[in-house]
Amino acid sequence: ADEVVAESGGVLAVLDEKDEDGLLKLSPYGEACHRFNQFVQTNADVGSPVVPLALVIDRLHGMYPGFEGKKIFDRFPYEAGDEMIWNVVDLLIPEGWEVQGKREKGYMVNAPFGDCFDVLVQTVGSDVLGRYPIALLSGQLTLSAEEIEKLENYVREGGTLLVNTAYLSGFPQWKGFTGEHTFGDGRVIVYGDDYEVTALREILTRLWDEWMPVQFSQAVEYGFNKKGNRVWMTLINNNGVEKDFRTPTEIDPSKAIDLTVNFRIPAPSRLTNLLDNTTATVVDGTFVTRIEPGQVQIWTWEL
């Protein structure tokens, strides 16, 4: 992204009061935005996000978080495929759909699979879909012949496609399949029952073991960037932080986490935290870091 602005950020970032130069003074929120901008400018070249999973949903999904109950386009009742999308997102971002009345909880959560997935619609081009090693179909999908061929080619060329039994009518060559099957240079993983996602946690956990460079001892918000031999790992502890609209932030210190990070790839001997220039030593492929409620850590190393 070239620019990040929170809703009403342009208003919230400034006060009515002016400084000696006649410029509006920054609010505390504006000061935080300023610090964030300075950090981004100082660390502008951070490669590309590591995002192994494409969640592919129907192009007419109309998903809405459900402030007044679950409705498509805030008008129509959910069908089975819509419930499936809701449940998949709730698996990836637990309790992230519903945020009203939760004192800011739900906007950012400690999640089992991190910030390591993108949401695409079924019309996504093959060139884009092919960038993701894993694709998961979800929603009230009606696939055209061209879309079916695109997905089959995606698997033939090495992709891993997760297919619910509800979609097998469009893939006759996979009908009757359960579990994992090789197809061309890729594989298909078929699971069910129709529109049910209970089996996905175990499937995604196994795939994450293949694609993620590290393993975490507990849930935390995380993401990776990579450029050449350089890796950046962002960690955020969203537990223990609450806030109403017009009251100060409340922090529960007991929600700090001691996170053990186990490297699956060749481990570096030392990591550096970009935010405070501290370092951490990796011992036998493992390091431990304490993350306070609301704290962000950005660790970097070379492979």
Side-chain angles (χ1 to χ4, degrees), residues 132-291:
Y132 298 86
I134 309 165
L136 167 61
L137 302 180
S138 184
Q140 203 71 22
L141 284 168
T142 300
L143 297 168
S144 68
E146 292 78 13
E147 289 166 346
I148 290 171
E149 182 180 10
K150 172 182 63 183
L151 292 167
E152 291 174 346
N153 287 336
Y154 165 79
V155 180
R156 286 193 188 96
E157 293 169 5
T160 295
L161 183 64
L162 278 55
V163 180
N164 184 267
T165 52
Y167 308 131
L168 286 181
S169 60
F171 302 96
Q173 72 275 39
W174 301 333
K175 203 162 187 179
F177 280 11
T178 56
E180 184 175 317
H181 299 267
T182 300
F183 186 77
D185 291 332
R187 55 186 169 172
V188 176
I189 300 177
V190 179
Y191 69 97
D193 297 328
D194 288 5
Y195 300 111
E196 289 292 327
V197 302
T198 306
L200 275 180
R201 181 180 293 275
E202 185 278 331
I203 294 171
L204 290 175
T205 298
R206 177 163 52 87
L207 293 174
W208 248 233
D209 286 344
E210 297 179 15
W211 286 101
M212 284 294 104
V214 303
Q215 183 183 54
F216 300 108
S217 61
Q218 57 186 296
V220 65
E221 184 177 6
Y222 66 88
F224 297 93
N225 280 46
K226 186 176 183 296
K227 183 177 181 180
N229 291 329
R230 173 66 60 179
V231 179
W232 295 262
M233 176 176 65
T234 300
L235 305 174
I236 307 174
N237 179 14
N238 295 300
N239 291 345
V241 181
E242 297 185 15
K243 187 182 186 307
D244 278 330
F245 297 127
R246 296 178 177 85
T247 60
T249 303
E250 296 179 24
I251 296 178
D252 180 356
S254 70
K255 299 298 184 181
I257 59 176
D258 292 308
L259 186 72
T260 301
V261 182
N262 295 306
F263 283 83
R264 293 197 180 96
I265 57 177
S269 59
R270 187 173 294 274
L271 314 176
T272 300
N273 188 343
L274 288 183
L275 289 170
D276 60 12
N277 291 318
T278 58
T279 60
T281 302
V282 179
V283 179
D284 294 330
T286 297
F287 90 103
V288 178
T289 179
R290 185 173 182 83
I291 313 178

Side-chain angles (χ1 to χ4, degrees), residues 50-192:
V50 177
V51 184
L53 176 66
L55 173 58
V56 182
I57 64 178
D58 55 292
R59 66 185 183 89
L60 300 175
H61 60 88
M63 295 300 294
Y64 183 70
F67 295 143
E68 289 86 29
K70 297 177 181 178
K71 294 179 183 178
I72 295 303
F73 295 111
D74 198 26
R75 289 292 182 271
F76 308 110
Y78 273 32
E79 295 183 325
D82 306 313
E83 290 285 358
M84 181 184 184
I85 294 177
W86 198 99
N87 289 329
V88 170
V89 173
D90 191 57
L91 170 64
L92 297 171
I93 312 175
E95 300 185 47
W97 270 118
E98 301 180 44
V99 295
Q100 292 288 83
K102 291 191 174 182
R103 296 168 54 80
E104 301 287 339
K105 291 191 298 185
Y107 290 102
M108 297 173 67
V109 301
N110 293 354
F113 303 104
D115 297 339
C116 301
F117 67 96
D118 286 340
V119 181
L120 312 175
V121 292
Q122 67 192 80
T123 54
V124 59
S126 297
D127 58 333
V128 175
L129 185 62
R131 301 174 191 173
Y132 298 86
I134 309 165
L136 167 61
L137 302 180
S138 184
Q140 203 71 22
L141 284 168
T142 300
L143 297 168
S144 68
E146 292 78 13
E147 289 166 346
I148 290 171
E149 182 180 10
K150 172 182 63 183
L151 292 167
E152 291 174 346
N153 287 336
Y154 165 79
V155 180
R156 286 193 188 96
E157 293 169 5
T160 295
L161 183 64
L162 278 55
V163 180
N164 184 267
T165 52
Y167 308 131
L168 286 181
S169 60
F171 302 96
Q173 72 275 39
W174 301 333
K175 203 162 187 179
F177 280 11
T178 56
E180 184 175 317
H181 299 267
T182 300
F183 186 77
D185 291 332
R187 55 186 169 172
V188 176
I189 300 177
V190 179
Y191 69 97

Side-chain angles (χ1 to χ4, degrees), residues 2 34-45:
D2 294 318
H34 181 59
R35 292 194 301 272
F36 175 74
N37 179 262
Q38 287 180 313
F39 178 80
V40 170
Q41 295 298 324
T42 303
N43 300 276
D45 190 10

